Amino acid sequence: MKKMLTAAVSRVLSGVTQKLASRVLVASCKYSNNATFEIKKCDLYRLEEGPPVTTVLTREDGLKYYKMMQTIRRMELKADQLYKQKFIRGFCHLCDGQEACCVGLEAGINPTDHVITSYRAHGLSYTRGLTVRSILAELTGRRAGCAKGKGGSMHMYAKNFYGGNGIVGAQGPLGAGVALACKYKGNNEVCLTLYGDGAANQGQISEAYNMAALWNLPCIFICENNRYGMGTSVERAAASTDYYKRGNFIPGLRVDGMDILCVREATKFAADYCRSGKGPILMELLTYRYHGHSMSDPGISYRTREEIQSVRSKSDPIMLLKDKMVNNQLASVEELKEIDVEVRKEIDDAAQFAMTDPEPPLEELGHHIYSSNPPFDIRGANQWIKFQSIS
Amino acid sequence: MAVAAVLVRKPLEQVSGLLRRRFHRTAPAALQVTVREAINQGMDEELERDEKVFLLGEEVAQYDGAYKVSRGLWKKYGDKRIIDTPISEVSFPSGSRPWRGMSAGLRPICEFMTFNFSMQAIDQVINSAAKTYYMSGGLQSVPIVFRGPNGASAGVAAQHSQCFAAWYGHCPGLKVVSPWSSEDAKGLIKSAIRDNNPVVVLENELMYGVPFELPSEAQSKDFLIPIGKAKIERQGTHVTIVAHSRPVGHCLEAATVLSKEGIECEVINLRTIRPMDIETIEGSVMKTNHLVTVEGGWPQFGVGAEICARIMEGPAFNFLDAPAVRVTGADVPMPYAKILEDNSVPQVKDIIFAIKKTLNI
């Protein structure tokens, strides 16, 4: 009876202007403020203790994470569409399926901490503060793009976010370098240095491990293991697929990367570890990408459709969070649907913008070669074509 | 009667033999083959010919190649000869060490997914491959091929669009080739594999799908294009245009446009960056008195710069009626936005403009 009454009231009150009121009304009747969850224990390497196996999720955080993950999901699917419509060119590497990683990592650190990752960077670009508009406009190569249209999919930057790196593994040493800067400045900040299971076999990653450990750098190495390096499964590429142990002398933990709470707790744990001056730590996030390696890879020549479908139906990160929240009275299905509608609208608006914003002006072709430099001339395709270069 | 039969038979045989021969010669022998297929064929033929040849690289085996250049090879030759590697470029050259090459005589083909990633391994390419024969006083040769797409593609942005012709062309000990057409691709990859020296084969992703007519000689399993020899793709009298790789096509387009205005361009396809066939260029310049070089790479210290310097050092300088002109990529990291990218690579209009400038038209 109470439920019927509440439902009736909420229907009466529903409407854009009264949505908030209805939600508050319904919330006060229906929802808990928080719930406690048990999360999977992480496999540990060279660690006595790991992250906690229970955690509290507040309603507020839950709704925030849900919205963020759904935004990333829809943004990536929109990018897929825009690519097929040829608004996006070149390479486009999508991270749908891996949303719990981006959002969970962000939830475990502060905005003043630092993040660097590979070319599969749209999700992290968003969690690090770039708007969907600026991301999609960058993908379509327009002037309002976060890199003014000059970088494209793999080269998006934000405050305390160092891209977006096209060369596999190059971000390893760079991340260790950012961590070095943190230690140098003594600001208690950490650097999350992400790379994939494919990049884990790059020599420069081992070099980064060595330097970080030798100099006790506050670097959290994070291997996003989505089981495939382009078309090569982990068994065919790595002598050891225990990526969390590959840091050798660096302690590590293996985390369920499809459960956002697991990722959050592990990240908090790792960040505390680094901040306490104990040196670097390695996190392996077990995750999965639904799309192929990039938009030019259908993603089914090296794995089966059944496998993809199985992950989608059993371990989808957004579905897992939704179930947690609904089953523990942190939110209702309708409420989450409303968020879905909001998100869809935001993405559609951003896509519309990204398709219609003008391209960068030709005069800017030569800009940003050097920093803090007086203007000079850049040679174009022949000696009579010149572009001005302004810092 | 028998005598008569013989008298008739012989000439008949000769005539039919002649007809047969002529029939072969006039049969349509040219075949439409894409650059991708040509490289695939070249590698297939060399893999078949010599057991010591093998291919390694990322995704070359089970994925059929990131750009499908090695399609079908793994199915045909198996795990031993077509090897999928982890993402460890530095190890590609070392995975085929000079001394292993020398003692076991192995002849590896290393595919870089693009030459941008070869920068990870460039120390090995230069210091271990290029210099070894020299440093060892002729003891250890390095019969290795490094191949892959080079230069700009479409919309792949700054870190994936660099041209390495000048970088590799700079180093003694390396041979560097840059095919344009299918015939170039097939003949040069075969020569590169048979060469006992480290050869860098700079392919072009945008050319992979372009079909060319492969003349009948090029369809032979022993068809080779000599490394170090340029080809005059189009004869002309007013200006010499020298290019390599994809820009050769742009030059031919420019030449067609200018022909309508009465300007006849001689287009030279360099084919090899190092050792460069400067004699062909000199011969042409001495005929046309004007020179324009075209390349996709950056202008400073580029292929065009080298050509201009060598022309000045040689006999052709005195035949120049105007300074030589270079058409190149713009001197910027490759931008992503289409309008900026289009203006960062040499276009047909830029080539035409440069030609007219040098001819003072």
Side-chain angles (χ1 to χ4, degrees):
Chain A
M1 182 62 190
K2 190 178 178 194
K3 255 200 192 141
M4 270 174 58
L5 190 65
T6 320
V9 169
S10 74
R11 264 201 300 277
V12 164
L13 289 176
S14 75
V16 175
T17 50
Q18 284 159 319
K19 211 190 294 191
L20 188 60
S22 78
R23 203 180 277 156
V24 168
L25 178 71
V26 175
S28 64
C29 303
K30 210 168 161 179
Y31 299 124
S32 318
N33 263 337
N34 56 55
T36 306
F37 295 95
E38 273 179 29
I39 52 178
K40 215 181 273 182
K41 187 173 189 301
C42 296
D43 293 330
L44 301 177
Y45 173 71
R46 286 180 172 260
L47 284 168
E48 292 296 318
E49 280 174 358
V53 293
T54 58
T55 184
V56 172
L57 175 66
T58 65
R59 183 178 134 77
E60 191 186 332
D61 278 345
L63 289 171
K64 184 174 77 174
Y65 301 156
Y66 181 85
K67 186 167 184 192
M68 283 176 89
M69 290 206 286
Q70 194 65 284
T71 303
I72 295 171
R73 174 68 57 92
R74 296 252 73 91
M75 180 177 74
E76 294 294 73
L77 294 178
K78 183 57 76 174
D80 171 295
Q81 206 180 26
L82 290 171
Y83 192 90
K84 288 173 177 152
Q85 293 173 309
K86 300 199 192 305
F87 281 99
I88 301 178
R89 311 177 309 127
F91 294 136
C92 188
H93 308 87
L94 302 176
C95 69
D96 50 314
Q98 299 183 203
E99 294 86 354
C101 296
C102 335
V103 179
L105 288 171
E106 191 63 43
I109 54 171
N110 307 321
T112 46
D113 288 319
H114 308 267
V115 178
I116 187 170
T117 187
S118 69
Y119 44 75
R120 201 174 302 283
H122 306 161
L124 279 162
S125 303
Y126 175 70
T127 54
R128 281 269 94 188
L130 291 175
T131 63
V132 178
R133 258 191 174 204
S134 69
I135 294 172
L136 288 182
E138 185 59 36
L139 288 175
T140 54
R142 308 300 164 113
R143 62 178 69 182
C146 52
K148 304 184 173 62
K150 297 176 69 178
S153 167
M154 299 180 285
H155 309 297
M156 300 189 186
Y157 300 81
K159 188 164 194 308
N160 297 340
F161 176 59
Y162 308 91
N165 289 276
I167 307 298
V168 173
Q171 69 274 23
L174 293 177
V178 174
L180 174 65
C182 295
K183 178 167 178 176
Y184 191 101
K185 293 183 185 172
N187 52 23
N188 209 32
E189 290 161 10
V190 298
C191 181
L192 270 53
T193 303
L194 286 93
Y195 54 94
D197 47 275
N201 302 314
Q202 275 275 317
Q204 55 191 326
I205 298 289
S206 301
E207 292 185 27
Y209 291 159
N210 182 54
M211 290 171 104
L214 187 66
W215 294 337
N216 244 20
L217 302 180
C219 186
I220 306 176
F221 291 103
I222 300 171
C223 179
E224 275 182 296
N225 177 4
N226 59 20
R227 306 195 213 168
Y228 300 94
M230 194 162 158
T232 306
S233 64
V234 291
E235 306 78 44
R236 293 205 306 125
S240 160
T241 55
D242 289 333
Y243 294 100
Y244 69 112
K245 294 184 184 170
R246 295 270 296 263
N248 191 6
F249 30 74
I250 297 181
L253 48 154
R254 176 177 262 167
V255 181
D256 178 0
M258 303 305 261
D259 178 354
I260 189 183
L261 298 179
C262 234
V263 178
R264 183 184 73 174
E265 291 313 307
T267 309
K268 278 188 186 159
F269 173 85
D272 286 341
Y273 181 94
C274 282
R275 279 189 237 277
S276 65
K278 295 198 189 104
I281 191 170
L282 211 166
M283 269 168 58
E284 177 187 346
L285 302 177
L286 294 173
T287 184
Y288 199 82
R289 53 165 162 81
Y290 295 142
H291 269 85
H293 163 74
S294 71
M295 285 304 298
S296 47
D297 171 29
I300 46 171
S301 62
Y302 48 87
R303 54 184 192 173
T304 60
R305 279 188 220 269
E306 289 73 38
E307 180 189 285
I308 305 171
Q309 204 31 52
S310 167
V311 175
R312 237 190 240 279
S313 54
K314 297 195 189 117
S315 323
D316 183 277
I318 300 177
M319 176 194 80
L320 290 179
L321 178 64
K322 180 176 172 183
D323 289 347
K324 281 188 165 73
M325 291 185 67
V326 166
N327 295 341
N328 291 274
Q329 282 80 50
L330 290 177
S332 72
V333 172
E334 292 78 32
E335 186 178 17
L336 296 179
K337 275 210 175 80
E338 273 172 34
I339 296 180
D340 291 350
V341 169
E342 254 176 69
V343 165
R344 221 174 278 246
K345 181 161 191 322
E346 185 190 349
I347 304 297
D348 284 342
D349 284 348
Q352 192 52 33
F353 174 74
M355 288 187 282
T356 51
D357 193 46
E359 282 191 291
L362 191 53
E363 300 77 61
E364 285 183 17
L365 189 148
H367 290 359
H368 311 117
I369 298 287
Y370 295 126
S371 165
S372 329
N373 218 60
F376 65 102
D377 279 342
I378 292 273
R379 186 190 157 113
N382 59 45
Q383 68 215 59
W384 298 281
I385 300 175
K386 292 219 184 303
F387 297 98
Q388 242 222 333
S389 182
I390 296 185
S391 289
Chain B
M1 197 55 193
V3 172
V6 167
L7 278 170
V8 173
R9 202 186 306 136
K10 253 312 191 148
L12 262 178
E13 277 170 359
Q14 283 180 330
V15 167
S16 66
L18 197 65
L19 280 172
R20 244 182 287 128
R21 273 199 297 279
R22 191 174 297 141
F23 187 70
H24 272 302
R25 243 183 272 138
T26 55
L31 204 61
Q32 285 277 324
V33 171
T34 62
V35 173
R36 173 186 286 116
E37 287 161 353
I39 301 170
N40 185 284
Q41 266 177 39
M43 287 199 291
D44 191 356
E45 287 169 9
E46 295 306 301
L47 283 158
E48 198 177 80
R49 175 183 176 270
D50 185 350
E51 246 191 23
K52 300 194 285 315
V53 176
F54 68 101
L55 172 68
L56 81 166
E58 293 154 22
E59 311 294 348
V60 296
Q62 296 185 23
Y63 197 80
D64 272 340
Y67 297 101
K68 308 300 176 199
V69 179
S70 55
R71 182 186 280 138
L73 295 180
W74 176 67
K75 271 212 176 85
K76 186 170 175 184
Y77 296 101
D79 283 333
K80 181 176 164 195
R81 308 214 28 227
I82 312 291
I83 304 172
D84 271 340
T85 61
I87 309 177
S88 309
E89 280 83 1
V90 179
S91 302
F92 296 175
S94 21
S96 25
R97 278 267 183 238
W99 41 91
R100 204 211 302 171
M102 185 196 157
S103 57
L106 292 185
R107 310 185 71 89
I109 310 169
C110 294
E111 176 176 303
F112 287 119
M113 200 180 279
T114 74
F115 266 95
N116 301 282
F117 312 130
S118 76
M119 278 203 280
Q120 307 275 55
I122 205 166
D123 166 65
Q124 295 280 8
V125 176
I126 308 302
N127 280 327
S128 297
K131 298 178 185 174
T132 294
Y133 194 66
Y134 182 90
M135 295 188 297
S136 66
L139 278 183
Q140 292 188 3
S141 68
V142 188
I144 190 170
V145 172
F146 299 104
R147 52 159 291 272
N150 174 62
S153 179
V156 295
Q159 291 181 339
H160 288 77
S161 307
Q162 192 169 328
C163 176
F164 287 85
W167 282 41
Y168 288 118
H170 189 59
C171 303
L174 279 184
K175 295 192 181 178
V176 182
V177 299
S178 182
W180 165 61
S181 63
S182 299
E183 183 187 341
D184 290 353
K186 186 167 180 199
L188 287 173
I189 189 79
K190 287 167 73 76
S191 294
I193 294 169
R194 295 191 195 190
D195 200 305
N196 285 332
N197 296 289
V199 183
V200 171
V201 183
L202 302 171
E203 299 159 10
N204 187 295
E205 200 233 312
L206 295 173
M207 294 304 295
Y208 280 152
V210 179
F212 287 85
E213 243 181 40
L214 203 64
S216 50
E217 327 72 83
Q219 292 168 43
S220 148
K221 288 194 174 169
D222 282 307
F223 171 69
L224 298 172
I225 288 181
I227 296 180
K229 203 80 190 69
K231 180 184 180 199
I232 300 178
E233 296 284 349
R234 181 189 196 278
Q235 302 264 4
T237 47
H238 297 120
V239 59
T240 300
I241 324 180
V242 186
H244 71 96
S245 189
R246 189 161 176 260
V248 173
H250 297 327
C251 292
L252 289 170
E253 262 184 70
T256 306
V257 170
L258 288 170
S259 180
K260 300 197 182 92
E261 297 177 42
I263 303 170
E264 293 305 326
C265 304
E266 180 144 295
V267 178
I268 299 180
N269 173 5
L270 259 187
R271 284 182 161 178
T272 302
I273 308 289
R274 178 186 265 269
M276 191 182 290
D277 182 2
I278 200 71
E279 289 78 27
T280 299
I281 305 174
E282 282 171 338
S284 176
V285 170
M286 295 200 286
K287 182 176 74 168
T288 66
N289 313 122
H290 295 87
L291 173 63
V292 173
T293 70
V294 185
E295 69 200 284
W298 292 318
Q300 286 204 17
F301 311 101
V303 175
E306 174 65 14
I307 294 173
C308 291
R310 292 232 220 153
I311 290 291
M312 282 209 283
E313 290 168 353
F317 172 70
N318 291 311
F319 289 76
L320 278 175
D321 285 346
V325 161
R326 299 174 293 161
V327 180
T328 66
D331 199 15
V332 293
M334 186 67 70
Y336 168 67
K338 188 160 198 315
I339 186 178
L340 299 183
E341 187 184 51
D342 286 347
N343 283 276
S344 299
V345 296
Q347 301 181 51
V348 177
K349 66 168 174 64
D350 302 317
I351 302 172
I352 292 175
F353 187 86
I355 292 171
K356 287 189 169 174
K357 271 284 198 182
T358 198
L359 290 174
N360 208 16
I361 295 170

